[in-house]
Amino acid sequence: MSRYAVETLLQDGLTVIKLSDSLSGSIAELLPEVGNNLYSFTTDGREVIKTSISLATLKNEKFASSKYGTPVLSPPNRINKGTFSFQERTYHFPINEPPDYHLHGELSVRAWEVLDCGASDEQGAWVISQLRYEDLPDILNYFPHLLTFTITYRLLDGKLSMDSCIKNEGTDEAPFAYGLHPYFSLPYESDPKLTLQVPAKVEWPITNLSFVTGRPAITELSEAIQQGIELADYPELGCTLLTIDSESDFINRLVLPNAGYTIAYQLDAQFPFVLLFRPNWDQAFSIEPYTYVTDAFNLPYEHDLTGAQGIKAGEERRITTSLWIESNT
């Protein structure tokens, strides 16, 4: 009998995909109908990602799908006035955070199609889901590019990997901006010395809404966080934007000394930026990997610096992240 299993369940009237690994005690639960959100991940009895509201609330409450679990974002964060230009074309995204901003794109609120799932000793437990702009005429009205997003979640040997494949199936180059927003469950009160380690290179000056106000630089924080900073004093609703050291292993770590384990989150080199964020609505912390800095297409800096880029017609991008826990002993 395989240690791995995949199940399709019904909860709060919604379809849930459950991946499990009995040997490591790992369970990952996804909600394809609401942004393909990985809303829960536990391993060895420890909560790594949790959602403290009902799945019905996650689906129906405005912005809830971007405040819990693992929202998928394109474009990530805010666009000032919802407007930017790329390749001599101007885009007008809807203002969904009035009065001035478009926030977090559309992927986290849309229903994704489950293409396949399965389990085996060799491949682990996995599920493949997809969202196509071709099927969403309202998005094509303001973003006329046939992008297809295909995500494979795979639970193997206690590690949960997320492989994102983004393909431009249209005829024009499209602006490309992609990110993730995992909310890692942290017991701040019982583990006050918990620390965060990020292989940072430089820090960007930003507003409290994560808009860039200048060029990045080496700072006291960008140096200290390489070895670890304590999160007890990190302000609620505080945010920090960092560029990752391209020569690092791209592994971020949340160390829980009292609990005796560490949450490890490895990024892809195509995610050169991370936004750190502490919500005030849950006991969690976000390490958000981005392909670009907030509102990069509206910044007056070199695209190589900000990550502003395009995805050409017929081009495909694959971006993989991995999540696991490590013992502190």
Side-chain angles (χ1 to χ4, degrees), residues 10 175 212 231 293 299:
L10 197 64
V212 169
L231 289 181
V293 299
L299 292 175

Side-chain angles (χ1 to χ4, degrees), residues 60-136:
N60 296 318
E61 184 178 284
K62 186 177 182 180
F63 289 132
S65 63
S66 63
K67 295 170 69 175
Y68 297 91
T70 310
V72 181
L73 314 175
S74 184
N77 220 290
R78 293 172 174 85
I79 302 171
N80 192 23
K81 308 299 182 184
T83 300
F84 67 89
S85 295
F86 176 77
Q87 301 286 47
E88 301 182 348
R89 173 182 273 164
T90 300
Y91 297 82
H92 299 282
F93 280 61
I95 301 299
N96 60 4
E97 189 182 52
D100 296 317
Y101 310 122
H102 176 83
L103 177 64
H104 286 333
E106 298 275 359
L107 303 187
S108 69
V109 299
R110 301 286 177 158
W112 291 54
E113 179 186 4
V114 175
L115 300 182
D116 201 5
C117 60
S120 71
D121 286 334
E122 296 75 25
Q123 300 295 319
W126 47 270
V127 57
I128 304 173
S129 306
Q130 188 176 84
L131 182 142
R132 305 189 309 160
Y133 281 0
E134 182 179 5
D135 301 327
L136 301 168

Side-chain angles (χ1 to χ4, degrees), residues 169-233:
E169 300 185 290
T171 57
D172 301 319
E173 184 175 2
F176 179 70
Y178 186 67
L180 306 173
H181 200 327
Y183 288 88
F184 297 109
S185 178
L186 295 182
Y188 288 98
E189 294 180 0
S190 63
D191 222 333
K193 295 293 185 180
L194 61 88
T195 63
L196 169 65
Q197 299 171 357
V198 177
K201 183 177 182 181
V202 291
E203 179 182 4
W204 292 77
I206 58 174
T207 70
N208 65 335
L209 296 179
S210 306
F211 285 111
V212 169
T213 60
R215 289 179 174 272
I218 295 173
T219 64
E220 183 178 343
L221 175 61
S222 71
E223 290 189 313
I225 205 168
Q226 296 170 28
Q227 302 302 317
I229 63 168
E230 293 188 4
L231 289 181
D233 296 327

